[in-house]
């Protein structure tokens, strides 16, 4: 058996088109386009690339893209002052402070300073609390994208067994909450989990968000399972070339799984599409819709 490949690129393109249509309607109704502002502190090259592509996608969706690129020497007080001014700016619907921040800045304090109604990364404690309570709020983009892919592949997942590997606040924990809210039975596995293979072998849904190339072995996968690989790992492909691989041994898993996301082209493209969707949702909520 060979798994059906989940085409995250195509799903993300469809979501971005849906958002663009929604943005046009919002703009016609309210006389202004939704606005997303991204703040980057320091000069981490990978973060600079992410911020650039977020800006481009925001403009392509018809939204107003704001960008603040601050030097690595920026103090926490200066960053908090910028966040306060963005909170107060009625043209800004979404605020995203690119992580990681330089070590001298307390990222928890910065995230907590963002207006929860503009927290399109879904990391503010109010939004994480709403998610765990099963109430409406802004949901972190990557797990939100994973959930769309799972639902599209499997439909109703009520009663399904799910294993989420990795307990980060950005991916693993919110993913476990989303699956729980969808009535799956969830195991949240992490670096201290005993016998991960046995947990994975029972799972109808496996979400891997660890950051270790190929750590989930193909022969662990239950035949027919839905495998969502969040990992993005660059490995040396020889000749100075890098190659992106996920956390799942793709070649082994593809022969057993029912559905599987490739890396790249699976979860990755969904993240920015969900960021745009969150910004539009935040704009509607702020406009009272
Ligand atoms: P993280 O480093 O914050 O968390 C990793 C988690 O893996 C931890 O909770 C840890 O307990 C767990 N872990 C470590 N070793 C383990 C082991 N041997 N067995 C089981 N669990 C183990 O990482 P993160 O931010 O959640 O990201 C995880 C991966 O997902 C990375 O490769 C990252 O690049 C990728 N990522 C992709 C996207 C996307 O858009 N596709 C978004 C965010 C993160």
């Amino acid at each position: 058996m060979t798994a059906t490949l989940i085409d995250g690129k195509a799903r993300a393109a469809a979501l971005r088109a849906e958002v663009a249509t929604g943005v046009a309607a919002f703009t016609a109704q309210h006389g202004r386009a939704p606005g997303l502002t991204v703040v980057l502190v320091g000069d981490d090259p990978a973060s600079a690339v992410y911020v650039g592509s977020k800006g481009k996608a925001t403009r392509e969706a018809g939204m107003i893209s704001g960008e603040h690129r601050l030097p690595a020497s920026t103090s926490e007080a200066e960053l908090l002052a910028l966040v306060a001014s963005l909170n107060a700016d009625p043209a800004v619907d979404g605020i995203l402070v690119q992580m990681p921040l330089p070590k001298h800045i307390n990222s928890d304090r910065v995230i907590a300073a963002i207006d929860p109604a503009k927290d399109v990364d879904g990391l503010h404690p109010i939004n994480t609390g709403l998610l765990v309570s099963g109430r409406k709020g802004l949901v972190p983009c990557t797990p939100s994208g994973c959930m769309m892919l799972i639902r599209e592949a499997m439909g109703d997942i009520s009663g399904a067994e799910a294993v989420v590997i990795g307990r980060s606040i950005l991916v693993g924990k919110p993913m476990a909450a989303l699956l729980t809210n969808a009535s799956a039975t969830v195991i949240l596995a992490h670096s201290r989990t005993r016998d991960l293979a046995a947990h994975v072998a029972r799972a109808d849904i496996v979400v891997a968000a660890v950051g270790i190339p190929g750590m989930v072995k193909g022969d662990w996968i239950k035949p027919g399972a839905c495998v969502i690989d969040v990992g993005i790992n660059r490995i040396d492909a020889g000749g100075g070339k890098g190659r992106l691989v996920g956390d799942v041994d793709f070649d082994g898993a593809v022969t057993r799984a029912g559905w599987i996301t490739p890396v790249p082209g699976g979860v990755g493209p969904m993240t920015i599409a969900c960021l745009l969707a969150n910004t539009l949702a935040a704009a509607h909520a702020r406009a009272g819709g």
Side-chain angles (χ1 to χ4, degrees):
M1 186 176 77
T2 300
T4 301
L5 278 192
I6 297 178
D7 188 345
K9 226 166 143 179
R11 182 64 190 90
L15 178 57
R16 283 166 67 157
E18 266 171 55
V19 170
T21 304
V23 165
F26 180 95
T27 308
Q29 192 186 347
H30 299 283
R32 69 170 188 92
L36 169 63
T37 294
V38 180
V39 180
L40 173 64
V41 185
D43 37 32
D44 176 56
S47 295
V49 171
Y50 292 144
V51 167
S53 45
K54 283 169 187 169
K56 183 166 171 276
T58 304
R59 290 186 292 277
E60 282 171 4
M63 298 196 264
I64 309 287
S65 163
E67 228 173 79
H68 292 264
R69 292 180 183 242
L70 308 178
S73 58
T74 303
S75 69
E76 187 177 305
E78 285 168 322
L79 181 55
L80 290 172
L82 173 60
V83 167
S85 76
L86 296 172
N87 284 345
D89 185 343
V92 174
D93 298 289
I95 302 169
L96 187 152
V97 179
Q98 184 67 44
M99 299 293 156
L101 289 168
K103 295 235 175 327
H104 65 276
I105 297 179
N106 180 325
S107 51
D108 287 344
R109 264 204 291 269
V110 174
I111 291 166
I114 297 171
D115 178 350
K118 297 188 178 190
D119 167 41
V120 285
D121 243 354
L123 297 177
H124 190 287
I126 293 268
N127 283 315
T128 55
L130 288 171
L131 175 58
V132 171
S133 315
R135 290 160 61 195
K136 207 169 148 41
L138 289 163
V139 176
C141 303
T142 300
S144 183
C146 293
M147 200 63 204
M148 284 181 199
L149 298 179
I150 293 168
R151 282 216 184 270
E152 231 169 61
M154 300 180 73
D156 182 10
I157 60 165
S158 166
E161 297 201 21
V163 170
V164 178
I165 315 170
R167 57 174 159 182
S168 73
I169 192 72
L170 192 64
V171 188
K173 280 184 185 162
M175 188 73 237
L178 284 169
L179 289 163
T180 304
N181 293 347
S183 301
T185 302
V186 183
I187 299 273
L188 180 51
H190 46 75
S191 54
R192 305 284 181 91
T193 296
R194 285 194 302 261
D195 204 358
L196 180 61
H199 289 296
V200 171
R202 285 174 57 96
D204 305 302
I205 300 165
V206 179
V207 181
V210 181
I212 302 177
M215 64 94 65
V216 177
K217 305 299 171 216
D219 60 6
W220 296 359
I221 302 296
K222 177 176 172 179
C226 180
V227 178
I228 305 291
D229 192 349
V230 183
I232 301 179
N233 310 292
R234 186 169 291 280
I235 58 165
D236 185 7
K241 287 203 180 113
R243 187 166 72 92
L244 288 187
V245 298
D247 291 343
V248 177
D249 159 27
F250 183 87
D251 293 342
V254 75
T255 61
R256 295 172 65 92
W259 302 268
I260 189 167
T261 57
V263 176
V267 174
M270 293 301 288
T271 298
I272 287 190
C274 288
L275 175 66
L276 302 176
N278 272 358
T279 304
L280 178 59
H284 273 299
R286 294 184 58 251

